[in-house]
Amino acid sequence: MSVERIGIGMLGYGFMGRAHAGAYRTLRHLPAPSPLVPSLVSVCGRTRSAVAAAAEEFGFAGSTTDWREVVADARVAVFDNTGPNSLHHAPTIAAARQGKHLICEKPLGLNADESFEMWAAASNAGVQHMCAFNYRFVPAVRLAREMLEAGELGEIYHFRGRYLQDWVLDPDLRRGWRLNRSMAGSGALGDLGAHVIDLARYLVGEPATVAATMAAFVTGRPDAGDLDEAVDDAVEAAVEFESGAIGTIEASRVCAGRKNALTFEISGSKGSIAFDLERLNELQVNLSGSTNPNLEGFRTVLVTQPQHPYLSNWWPPGHVLGWEHTFTHELAHFLNAIARDESVAPHGATFADGYRAAEVCDAIGRSARFGRREAVSYRALTSESVRTGI
Amino acid sequence: MSVERIGIGMLGYGFMGRAHAGAYRTLRHLPAPSPLVPSLVSVCGRTRSAVAAAAEEFGFAGSTTDWREVVADARVAVFDNTGPNSLHHAPTIAAARQGKHLICEKPLGLNADESFEMWAAASNAGVQHMCAFNYRFVPAVRLAREMLEAGELGEIYHFRGRYLQDWVLDPDLRRGWRLNRSMAGSGALGDLGAHVIDLARYLVGEPATVAATMAAFVTGRPDAGDLDEAVDDAVEAAVEFESGAIGTIEASRVCAGRKNALTFEISGSKGSIAFDLERLNELQVNLSGSTNPNLEGFRTVLVTQPQHPYLSNWWPPGHVLGWEHTFTHELAHFLNAIARDESVAPHGATFADGYRAAEVCDAIGRSARFGRREAVSYRALTSESVRTGI
Amino acid sequence: MSVERIGIGMLGYGFMGRAHAGAYRTLRHLPAPSPLVPSLVSVCGRTRSAVAAAAEEFGFAGSTTDWREVVADARVAVFDNTGPNSLHHAPTIAAARQGKHLICEKPLGLNADESFEMWAAASNAGVQHMCAFNYRFVPAVRLAREMLEAGELGEIYHFRGRYLQDWVLDPDLRRGWRLNRSMAGSGALGDLGAHVIDLARYLVGEPATVAATMAAFVTGRPDAGDLDEAVDDAVEAAVEFESGAIGTIEASRVCAGRKNALTFEISGSKGSIAFDLERLNELQVNLSGSTNPNLEGFRTVLVTQPQHPYLSNWWPPGHVLGWEHTFTHELAHFLNAIARDESVAPHGATFADGYRAAEVCDAIGRSARFGRREAVSYRALTSESVRTGI
Amino acid sequence: MSVERIGIGMLGYGFMGRAHAGAYRTLRHLPAPSPLVPSLVSVCGRTRSAVAAAAEEFGFAGSTTDWREVVADARVAVFDNTGPNSLHHAPTIAAARQGKHLICEKPLGLNADESFEMWAAASNAGVQHMCAFNYRFVPAVRLAREMLEAGELGEIYHFRGRYLQDWVLDPDLRRGWRLNRSMAGSGALGDLGAHVIDLARYLVGEPATVAATMAAFVTGRPDAGDLDEAVDDAVEAAVEFESGAIGTIEASRVCAGRKNALTFEISGSKGSIAFDLERLNELQVNLSGSTNPNLEGFRTVLVTQPQHPYLSNWWPPGHVLGWEHTFTHELAHFLNAIARDESVAPHGATFADGYRAAEVCDAIGRSARFGRREAVSYRALTSESVRTGI
């Protein structure tokens, strides 16, 4: 098999930057590797010494403090945006205009409008685009999707999703960009809620309405600056889906003891499934419709068998995978899509998915603010909007 | 210690009737029994032969098909209403007027108005009154309350409660009174949601607003009769508490594989607790604020130690209790309140609590119907309302 | 249906006495009650005032401090021995000779010889006999037995059983009869290990050999008296079954945090099951041989469905049972056996089962003492041994 | 910090070879990398084309079918033996004699004698040596060790360890070297039991005696060849430790539904801990001695906090690690030991540990064969034995 190198330029070298870089290095050595081998060309960040150290540590050939250099770099074919949310829109659109393939961390833009423009720009440029909703690439989540597609749960009545963390409880926490509204757009909603929304859409379909409330509990950070900039700590929403299913979307960063608890439970006429990211190798499955009724129960499927999604590249049964390989699977999927000139959909999230998640986030925000159930409406990408990007 | 007998008259001999009767028999033989020994005088139901058989099986001295006979029976000091929801209001008020002490199954009335009138009547009569929210009497729930009162979780940010069952999924299910709106008032909301609401109030305080959606999925019962009579199968609500905490209240009777899953999770600035009725002897506890941070985690407290609430009457550690003893504890508490001439509050639910839960239910119903966040407002019992009962 | 009263005389009014008495009272009110209604005639204990109070609390008509009175009482048809182990042998044999039906707590005698004599005496007298291995009457355990009988696990390779508690860790614990060798015979072995052995026999068949070690860790009790009287705190045994399966039998009373953890796991060529008494309403089931391999996993069967063993007498699904009803089921089974003139076997343990468990205990004791694998050999009840009782 | 390259030569390119190679690549990019950067020089295997493909996939510069070439290769400073057990002894000793640092998969040799000779050879050569008991490098296991060293569990009474898998149940399984006695030495005992033994020694100390039984259940493999070559499918042992603690060591490859269930539970006078490799990010902790007794329980510590062992190199809390990083931690530890010229002990297993584990395995084998409790005796490395290697 001939392999070809593809140059990667990255914006951001924090938590997500480290995760993406590790995945690029790892996917080169899978038993069934991508036909495109990532070459880590350049990484960009604000602080010269820190980004240079990151380049060394992550394995990039070079670094820069100006993202325009990455966008203009002819060696770069993929622009991977892992920067703060406020740096998603402009650099990604600029990269699109340079014909770079695009991967951007979630939430796609600071709001639905920014996200729509990013989608339009990517479409206009005719490049590949993926919004890095990495939890679609948890093997147990993909297995859930396959069960749902096969109708194993019957008609779906409920989706209940939560993403709970507790790091904002720390009163001495320094206020990074994730706690700053102008840089993050929102708090728990866009950071955590967006993941729940994307999984809801991936697994159950489009939300139709949301009825929500939000709260900011923890104030007075050491470096809090302008109080108006405080973001939401938690969001609670009742949701109706276009299919008729109902449920909840919840997110909190002040939930003591929950470290990374992205959980969902989906129930239908024939069964239910449940998932918890803190035990990401497991899927809880109840098939009430096709089981000896004496022996019905939620079973813990250890999603590590060779025939499970994404597992053929890994270890014998029971040798569990870590969180980081959501990115290995995701970026391998992205490079395969480029190599085959196919969309990353449906198993990867496109910028269209990123935009739609943003519409749901915005509707939740409006519902919380105005105290009414909000319908979610999605704009279509017309030829006009592709052209103008708005 | 001198013991005195107290006559019990019961309306209803179904699921709840059996549970109450068993509790009356059991509580006579606790190591620390009530000073009032229940004497099972009479049970009332629609079908003569069936109620006579129930009287025999449950240990009642007699039976009748006319609840007015029970209400008028001089031997009866406690009127225990375990009948369908539509038979809560009139018989209970009639019994109040006869000076009977009152225990009534939840939901108290078919709606907030009925419930208020029942509360007013009980108050006017000066009798003891308890709404049978039995889950307050789960030892783990009482332990949760004690932790919250002691401030062990700090300032409370979240209450998330669900009550999920799946029996309505059965397409051949006969439509008993619980599926009939005129007899039940509502479906999952009043049957299951009311329990969640009562625990929210018992543990976290008064709900201030609700934003809800409801759905009826399963239609076309064999004996469905008038379609307008269908009740809700599920309800989802985002909730704000007067304290500022936010969360969810959910209920469903179409949640495959969940048999009796009343769960809640409460999170505060110093810790979290979680409960699941299917494992009613356990309380999950995370004390992030006072634990070696290396060893923080949710611990499974087996609430069967002698010093745990209600446990001094039972077995050595680890010998688990069954669901039925929620009633044993509840009815013993009620008889003790009568003996001591004290209110059942705060650990028992009074008719005031039953009324307030009904206000929350009604607000959820309005929110779901009108698509807006609803404030919950509670009427006070004025001397006028006590007198007139409205 | 005509019902008949049957007089119960009991030796002992401690933990087990309370449990048995409650069960007798409860089983009268089951939907499908026994044709024999227990009448609590007399209870016997050492201390006059205490046993009189127990009679009052438990609902016995009378009490005595001389077990011979109970044995001689013409109103007593069933002699229920819940006394210390050292009082099992003589009173039970005396009762057999008076033609009383016999139920005796485990372990049956202080050793295999005493147990054999008790079995012989019961057989000679032609009365019903049951050794109160109550955990056979956990619904999940009976379900396990039915799965094994039906071959759902295939050929059995493993039985692993443990019974772990921690109450002996308490340094201030007073030394009751369970910690006294002359009254208890052994410590963790006979108290807890005997239960594991009985379940092994009930579920998997006869142990053939044992290779064991035992230890006594906690010494110097406040009232320890003669050190020679100390009993074992823990026992560990590797076991081979006659069927070829291998596994472990373990017991400890010094296992911090394990309150009443009787657990077992059974594995065969087609699946595995696992049980934990601290979650007695649940059975873990893995059917690897007949499941979609993508969805294999241990399922948590909540053994509370109406069609589950012993459940028809109880509540709707998910309304869990408590530990005490192991006795309700057991004693109802015993009274039914008397009414039908049938053996309590196979689902109840006879004195033959009590004897065989004692042989395994004794073999474990010899193995631990002499450092060799011990074969378990069982004596048969010949006409001679029935006659002479030895 | 100056970094230096160190050449790695590997024997074997199967499951373990892939795991080691991935770890070498990953550890180069940790935030706190080793001062020695591994350079993958050469990998050796039997089949020329397969080993060449593996070299490409794993990132080795070259490959060979003759391990002597690797041993003689001047570029190679570390000889990493991941081959079949029968190829541990001779190549490793040859590499020692060439002054290579040594890492060898477990079990060290085919038996205690081979293992002793390997230890002696390594000592004689004065090179670094590590037996790849990778589960010492699970963060939760290291945390357990630190708790035990700090005395948090008090005096230790029990160690119970099991390693259960089910892949040998497959009747169509081809018989690889792990099922061949001459290549593997033993079956479940050396493959899985050795891990349990090493963890027992790491956490609780030296086993003093073992009383064991073993069984081979599954016969008649398609390519079974000589029946005498069949290995054990399962082993059960009761164990006494030099400290006085007692417990069990168990291993099985025919335990349906258990995919990779290495579990242990350790109990002491002040608390207990429990671990399950299928949930390797978690440690169950019960501190009965220092907890509010009302709130005692087993807590699930998610061992992913930055201050937990090995975690400073990874992700924010709750972002779980996979099995493969046991090797990343282990090999980074090994390279650090080389760089610092320090032994890998106590947190890494030396060849002395590999030898001692082999003595316990051999004692278990003798106990099972001869039906007696076997004392474990350990040979010391005298200057004579170092010199002669026997």
Side-chain angles (χ1 to χ4, degrees):
Chain A
M1 186 178 68
S2 89
V3 294
E4 200 180 331
R5 297 201 157 256
I6 183 166
I8 311 292
M10 183 181 287
L11 190 165
Y13 58 95
F15 174 27
M16 284 300 115
R18 176 185 301 277
H20 285 223
Y24 286 122
R25 294 191 312 265
T26 299
L27 63 83
R28 295 172 190 158
H29 295 281
L30 297 181
S34 165
L36 290 171
V37 173
S39 173
L40 302 185
V41 173
S42 180
V43 59
C44 165
R46 270 182 306 186
T47 311
R48 185 169 304 277
S49 60
V51 72
E56 172 79 13
E57 183 185 330
F58 295 176
F60 278 88
S63 65
T64 171
T65 58
D66 182 357
W67 59 260
R68 288 167 190 82
E69 283 186 21
V70 178
V71 165
D73 191 326
R75 299 167 301 168
V76 168
V78 169
F79 183 69
D80 186 342
N81 193 332
T82 71
N85 300 347
S86 56
L87 279 178
H88 287 182
H89 181 260
T92 302
I93 289 177
R97 289 177 180 159
Q98 292 292 328
K100 311 301 190 194
H101 299 299
L102 304 169
I103 176 161
C104 183
E105 263 304 319
K106 40 57 56 184
L108 188 56
L110 287 173
N111 50 46
D113 286 345
E114 275 199 8
S115 303
F116 186 84
E117 289 165 15
M118 293 167 74
W119 176 30
S123 296
N124 195 27
V127 295
Q128 292 283 355
H129 46 94
M130 180 158 67
C131 183
F133 281 119
N134 58 309
Y135 295 132
R136 294 185 177 210
F137 293 90
V138 173
V141 172
R142 174 77 181 259
L143 178 62
R145 161 89 182 203
E146 293 177 3
M147 292 181 69
L148 286 156
E149 280 186 327
E152 296 196 53
L153 303 189
E155 184 185 352
I156 300 306
Y157 298 141
H158 292 302
F159 172 90
R160 298 181 165 97
R162 293 175 177 165
Y163 200 158
L164 308 178
Q165 298 181 342
D166 70 358
W167 55 278
V168 170
L169 283 177
D170 178 359
D172 299 323
L173 186 71
R174 288 196 61 255
R175 186 173 174 175
W177 68 261
R178 280 183 173 79
L179 291 172
N180 180 297
R181 188 181 295 171
S182 63
M183 295 182 75
S186 66
L189 175 58
D191 183 20
L192 305 182
H195 274 301
V196 179
I197 291 164
D198 183 66
L199 290 183
R201 294 186 61 256
Y202 180 54
L203 296 169
V204 172
E206 298 295 348
T209 75
V210 289
T213 191
M214 295 168 76
F217 296 109
V218 184
T219 54
R221 295 279 162 213
D223 55 350
D226 183 353
L227 274 182
D228 292 344
E229 287 292 298
V231 293
D232 54 288
D233 289 328
V235 56
E236 308 287 338
V239 59
E240 294 171 312
F241 290 84
E242 291 183 356
S243 69
I246 65 173
T248 46
I249 292 172
E250 305 179 72
S252 174
R253 299 194 292 204
V254 292
C255 205
R258 299 301 177 194
K259 300 304 175 189
N260 201 26
L262 170 57
T263 62
F264 63 77
E265 178 162 333
I266 298 172
S267 303
S269 54
K270 293 163 62 180
S272 294
I273 54 176
F275 173 77
D276 181 348
L277 184 63
E278 289 182 359
R279 289 177 172 171
L280 74 73
N281 293 274
E282 301 178 11
L283 186 68
Q284 302 287 324
V285 175
N286 183 285
L287 295 177
S288 44
S290 64
T291 298
N292 173 347
N294 269 15
L295 301 181
E296 185 196 338
F298 278 84
R299 68 187 75 168
T300 302
V301 179
L302 197 55
V303 190
T304 57
Q305 297 295 112
Q307 77 278 11
H308 279 139
Y310 305 112
L311 263 292
S312 61
N313 277 320
W314 299 107
W315 315 106
H319 295 73
V320 298
L321 295 189
W323 167 85
E324 72 201 78
H325 292 319
T326 58
F327 294 100
T328 307
H329 305 153
E330 182 179 57
L331 295 179
H333 182 81
F334 187 53
L335 297 184
N336 278 321
I338 293 171
R340 294 174 187 151
D341 197 18
E342 293 171 0
S343 168
V344 299
H347 294 301
T350 65
F351 277 16
D353 293 303
Y355 157 68
R356 290 191 157 218
E359 282 288 9
V360 181
C361 282
D362 284 9
I364 286 174
R366 291 194 307 273
S367 173
R369 185 168 174 199
F370 299 118
R372 65 183 184 227
R373 189 188 298 155
E374 284 285 309
V376 185
S377 64
Y378 303 104
R379 294 171 61 190
L381 203 62
T382 62
S383 53
E384 179 69 10
S385 59
V386 169
R387 196 181 55 79
T388 63
I390 54 174
Chain B
M1 186 178 64
S2 90
V3 294
E4 201 181 329
R5 296 201 158 255
I6 183 166
I8 312 291
M10 183 181 286
L11 190 163
Y13 58 94
F15 173 29
M16 284 300 114
R18 175 185 302 277
H20 286 221
Y24 286 123
R25 296 192 311 266
T26 299
L27 63 83
R28 294 172 191 157
H29 297 280
L30 297 181
S34 166
L36 289 171
V37 174
S39 174
L40 302 184
V41 173
S42 181
V43 60
C44 166
R46 271 181 306 185
T47 312
R48 185 168 305 275
S49 60
V51 72
E56 173 78 14
E57 184 186 330
F58 295 176
F60 278 88
S63 64
T64 172
T65 59
D66 182 357
W67 59 259
R68 287 166 191 82
E69 284 187 21
V70 179
V71 164
D73 192 327
R75 300 167 302 169
V76 168
V78 169
F79 181 69
D80 185 342
N81 193 333
T82 71
N85 300 347
S86 55
L87 278 178
H88 288 181
H89 181 259
T92 302
I93 290 176
R97 290 176 180 159
Q98 292 294 327
K100 311 300 189 195
H101 300 299
L102 304 170
I103 176 161
C104 182
E105 265 302 321
K106 41 56 61 183
L108 188 56
L110 288 173
N111 49 47
D113 285 346
E114 276 199 8
S115 303
F116 185 84
E117 289 164 16
M118 294 167 73
W119 176 29
S123 295
N124 196 27
V127 295
Q128 291 283 355
H129 45 96
M130 179 158 67
C131 183
F133 281 118
N134 58 308
Y135 295 131
R136 293 185 178 211
F137 293 90
V138 174
V141 172
R142 174 77 181 260
L143 178 61
R145 162 89 182 204
E146 293 177 3
M147 291 180 70
L148 286 156
E149 281 186 328
E152 297 197 50
L153 303 190
E155 183 186 352
I156 301 305
Y157 298 141
H158 293 302
F159 172 90
R160 301 180 163 98
R162 294 175 177 166
Y163 200 157
L164 308 178
Q165 297 181 343
D166 70 357
W167 54 278
V168 170
L169 283 177
D170 178 358
D172 300 324
L173 185 72
R174 287 196 61 255
R175 186 173 172 176
W177 69 261
R178 281 185 174 78
L179 292 172
N180 180 296
R181 187 181 296 170
S182 64
M183 295 181 74
S186 66
L189 175 58
D191 183 19
L192 306 181
H195 275 300
V196 179
I197 291 163
D198 183 65
L199 290 183
R201 294 186 60 255
Y202 180 52
L203 297 169
V204 172
E206 298 296 348
T209 75
V210 289
T213 190
M214 294 168 75
F217 296 108
V218 184
T219 55
R221 295 277 163 215
D223 56 348
D226 183 353
L227 276 180
D228 292 346
E229 288 291 300
V231 294
D232 55 288
D233 289 328
V235 56
E236 308 287 339
V239 59
E240 295 171 310
F241 290 84
E242 292 183 357
S243 68
I246 65 173
T248 46
I249 292 171
E250 306 179 72
S252 175
R253 300 193 294 202
V254 291
C255 203
R258 300 299 178 195
K259 300 305 176 189
N260 201 26
L262 171 57
T263 62
F264 63 76
E265 178 163 333
I266 299 172
S267 303
S269 55
K270 292 164 62 181
S272 294
I273 55 176
F275 173 75
D276 181 349
L277 185 62
E278 290 182 359
R279 290 177 170 169
L280 75 73
N281 293 274
E282 302 177 10
L283 186 68
Q284 302 287 323
V285 175
N286 183 287
L287 295 177
S288 43
S290 64
T291 298
N292 173 346
N294 269 13
L295 301 181
E296 185 196 339
F298 277 84
R299 66 187 78 167
T300 302
V301 179
L302 197 55
V303 190
T304 57
Q305 298 294 113
Q307 78 276 10
H308 278 141
Y310 305 113
L311 263 293
S312 60
N313 277 319
W314 298 108
W315 315 108
H319 294 73
V320 297
L321 295 188
W323 167 85
E324 73 203 77
H325 292 319
T326 57
F327 295 100
T328 307
H329 306 153
E330 182 180 56
L331 296 179
H333 182 81
F334 187 54
L335 297 184
N336 277 322
I338 293 170
R340 295 173 187 152
D341 197 19
E342 295 171 359
S343 167
V344 299
H347 295 300
T350 65
F351 277 15
D353 292 304
Y355 156 68
R356 291 193 156 215
E359 283 288 10
V360 181
C361 283
D362 285 10
I364 286 174
R366 290 195 307 273
S367 173
R369 186 170 172 196
F370 298 119
R372 64 184 185 228
R373 188 188 297 154
E374 284 284 309
V376 185
S377 63
Y378 304 104
R379 294 172 59 190
L381 202 62
T382 62
S383 54
E384 179 69 8
S385 60
V386 168
R387 195 181 55 80
T388 63
I390 53 173
Chain C
M1 186 179 68
S2 89
V3 294
E4 201 180 329
R5 296 199 158 258
I6 183 167
I8 311 292
M10 183 182 284
L11 190 165
Y13 58 95
F15 173 28
M16 285 298 114
R18 175 184 302 277
H20 286 223
Y24 287 122
R25 295 192 312 265
T26 299
L27 63 83
R28 295 172 189 157
H29 296 280
L30 297 180
S34 166
L36 289 171
V37 174
S39 175
L40 302 184
V41 174
S42 180
V43 60
C44 166
R46 269 181 308 184
T47 312
R48 185 169 305 277
S49 60
V51 71
E56 173 79 12
E57 182 185 329
F58 296 175
F60 278 87
S63 65
T64 172
T65 58
D66 182 356
W67 59 260
R68 287 167 190 81
E69 284 186 21
V70 179
V71 165
D73 192 326
R75 301 167 301 168
V76 167
V78 170
F79 182 70
D80 185 343
N81 193 333
T82 71
N85 301 347
S86 56
L87 279 177
H88 288 183
H89 181 261
T92 301
I93 289 176
R97 289 176 180 159
Q98 292 294 326
K100 311 301 189 193
H101 300 299
L102 304 169
I103 176 162
C104 183
E105 263 303 322
K106 42 57 55 182
L108 189 55
L110 287 173
N111 50 46
D113 285 345
E114 275 199 9
S115 303
F116 185 84
E117 290 165 14
M118 293 167 74
W119 176 30
S123 296
N124 196 28
V127 296
Q128 292 284 356
H129 46 94
M130 181 158 67
C131 184
F133 281 119
N134 58 308
Y135 294 131
R136 294 184 177 210
F137 293 91
V138 173
V141 172
R142 174 77 181 260
L143 178 60
R145 162 86 183 206
E146 293 178 3
M147 292 181 68
L148 285 156
E149 281 185 328
E152 297 197 51
L153 302 190
E155 183 185 352
I156 301 306
Y157 298 141
H158 292 302
F159 172 91
R160 299 181 165 96
R162 293 176 178 166
Y163 201 157
L164 308 178
Q165 297 182 341
D166 70 357
W167 56 277
V168 170
L169 283 177
D170 179 359
D172 299 323
L173 185 73
R174 287 195 61 256
R175 186 173 173 175
W177 68 261
R178 281 184 174 80
L179 292 172
N180 179 298
R181 188 180 295 171
S182 63
M183 295 182 75
S186 66
L189 175 59
D191 183 19
L192 306 181
H195 274 300
V196 179
I197 291 164
D198 184 64
L199 290 182
R201 293 186 60 256
Y202 181 52
L203 296 169
V204 172
E206 298 297 348
T209 74
V210 290
T213 190
M214 295 169 75
F217 296 109
V218 184
T219 55
R221 297 279 162 214
D223 55 349
D226 182 353
L227 275 181
D228 292 345
E229 286 293 297
V231 293
D232 54 290
D233 289 326
V235 56
E236 310 286 340
V239 59
E240 294 170 312
F241 291 84
E242 290 183 358
S243 69
I246 66 174
T248 46
I249 292 172
E250 305 180 71
S252 174
R253 301 194 293 203
V254 291
C255 203
R258 300 300 177 194
K259 300 304 176 187
N260 201 26
L262 170 57
T263 62
F264 62 77
E265 178 162 333
I266 300 172
S267 304
S269 54
K270 293 165 62 182
S272 294
I273 55 177
F275 173 77
D276 181 350
L277 184 63
E278 290 182 359
R279 290 176 171 170
L280 76 73
N281 293 272
E282 302 177 11
L283 186 68
Q284 302 287 324
V285 175
N286 182 286
L287 295 177
S288 43
S290 64
T291 299
N292 173 347
N294 269 15
L295 301 181
E296 185 195 339
F298 278 83
R299 66 187 76 167
T300 302
V301 180
L302 197 55
V303 190
T304 58
Q305 297 294 112
Q307 77 277 10
H308 279 140
Y310 305 113
L311 264 292
S312 61
N313 276 319
W314 298 106
W315 315 107
H319 295 73
V320 296
L321 295 188
W323 166 84
E324 72 203 77
H325 292 319
T326 58
F327 294 100
T328 308
H329 306 154
E330 182 179 58
L331 295 178
H333 182 82
F334 186 54
L335 296 184
N336 277 321
I338 293 170
R340 295 174 186 152
D341 197 18
E342 294 170 359
S343 169
V344 299
H347 296 301
T350 64
F351 277 16
D353 293 303
Y355 157 68
R356 289 191 157 218
E359 284 286 10
V360 181
C361 283
D362 285 8
I364 286 174
R366 290 194 306 273
S367 174
R369 185 169 173 198
F370 298 118
R372 64 182 183 226
R373 189 188 297 155
E374 283 285 310
V376 184
S377 63
Y378 304 105
R379 294 171 60 190
L381 203 61
T382 62
S383 53
E384 179 69 9
S385 60
V386 169
R387 196 180 57 79
T388 62
I390 54 173
Chain D
M1 184 179 68
S2 88
V3 293
E4 199 181 330
R5 295 199 159 258
I6 182 167
I8 311 292
M10 183 181 287
L11 190 165
Y13 59 95
F15 174 28
M16 283 300 113
R18 174 184 304 278
H20 286 223
Y24 286 122
R25 294 191 311 267
T26 299
L27 63 85
R28 295 173 190 156
H29 297 280
L30 296 180
S34 166
L36 289 171
V37 174
S39 174
L40 303 185
V41 173
S42 180
V43 59
C44 165
R46 269 182 307 185
T47 313
R48 185 168 305 276
S49 60
V51 72
E56 172 78 13
E57 183 186 328
F58 295 175
F60 278 88
S63 64
T64 171
T65 58
D66 182 356
W67 59 260
R68 287 166 192 83
E69 284 185 20
V70 178
V71 164
D73 192 326
R75 299 167 302 169
V76 168
V78 169
F79 183 69
D80 186 342
N81 193 333
T82 72
N85 301 347
S86 56
L87 279 178
H88 287 182
H89 181 261
T92 301
I93 290 177
R97 289 175 180 162
Q98 292 293 328
K100 311 300 188 192
H101 299 300
L102 304 169
I103 175 161
C104 182
E105 265 302 321
K106 41 54 61 184
L108 188 56
L110 288 173
N111 49 47
D113 285 345
E114 275 198 9
S115 303
F116 185 84
E117 290 164 15
M118 293 167 73
W119 175 30
S123 296
N124 196 28
V127 295
Q128 292 284 354
H129 46 95
M130 179 157 68
C131 184
F133 282 118
N134 58 309
Y135 294 131
R136 293 185 177 210
F137 293 90
V138 173
V141 172
R142 174 76 181 260
L143 178 61
R145 162 87 184 206
E146 293 177 3
M147 292 180 69
L148 286 156
E149 281 186 327
E152 296 197 51
L153 303 191
E155 184 186 351
I156 301 306
Y157 299 141
H158 292 304
F159 171 91
R160 299 181 165 96
R162 294 176 178 166
Y163 201 157
L164 307 178
Q165 297 181 343
D166 70 358
W167 55 278
V168 170
L169 283 177
D170 178 359
D172 300 323
L173 186 72
R174 288 194 62 256
R175 187 174 173 175
W177 68 260
R178 280 184 174 78
L179 292 172
N180 180 297
R181 188 181 295 170
S182 63
M183 294 182 74
S186 67
L189 175 58
D191 184 19
L192 305 181
H195 274 301
V196 179
I197 291 163
D198 183 65
L199 290 182
R201 294 186 60 254
Y202 181 52
L203 297 168
V204 172
E206 299 296 348
T209 74
V210 290
T213 190
M214 295 168 76
F217 296 109
V218 184
T219 54
R221 296 278 162 215
D223 55 349
D226 183 353
L227 275 181
D228 291 346
E229 287 292 299
V231 294
D232 55 289
D233 289 327
V235 56
E236 309 287 340
V239 58
E240 293 171 312
F241 290 84
E242 291 183 356
S243 69
I246 65 173
T248 46
I249 292 171
E250 305 179 71
S252 174
R253 300 194 293 202
V254 292
C255 203
R258 300 299 177 195
K259 300 304 177 189
N260 201 26
L262 170 59
T263 62
F264 62 77
E265 178 163 333
I266 299 172
S267 303
S269 55
K270 293 164 62 182
S272 294
I273 54 175
F275 173 77
D276 181 350
L277 184 63
E278 290 182 359
R279 290 177 170 169
L280 73 75
N281 293 274
E282 302 177 10
L283 186 69
Q284 303 287 323
V285 175
N286 183 286
L287 295 177
S288 44
S290 64
T291 298
N292 172 346
N294 268 15
L295 301 181
E296 185 196 338
F298 277 84
R299 66 188 75 169
T300 302
V301 179
L302 196 56
V303 190
T304 58
Q305 297 294 112
Q307 77 277 12
H308 279 139
Y310 304 113
L311 264 294
S312 60
N313 277 319
W314 299 107
W315 316 107
H319 295 73
V320 297
L321 295 189
W323 166 85
E324 72 203 77
H325 292 319
T326 57
F327 295 99
T328 308
H329 306 153
E330 182 180 58
L331 295 179
H333 182 82
F334 187 53
L335 296 185
N336 278 321
I338 293 171
R340 294 174 188 152
D341 198 18
E342 293 171 359
S343 169
V344 299
H347 296 301
T350 64
F351 277 15
D353 293 303
Y355 157 69
R356 289 191 158 219
E359 284 287 10
V360 181
C361 283
D362 285 8
I364 286 174
R366 290 193 308 273
S367 173
R369 184 169 174 197
F370 299 119
R372 64 184 184 226
R373 188 188 298 154
E374 284 284 311
V376 185
S377 63
Y378 304 104
R379 295 171 59 190
L381 202 62
T382 62
S383 54
E384 178 68 9
S385 58
V386 169
R387 195 179 57 77
T388 62
I390 51 173

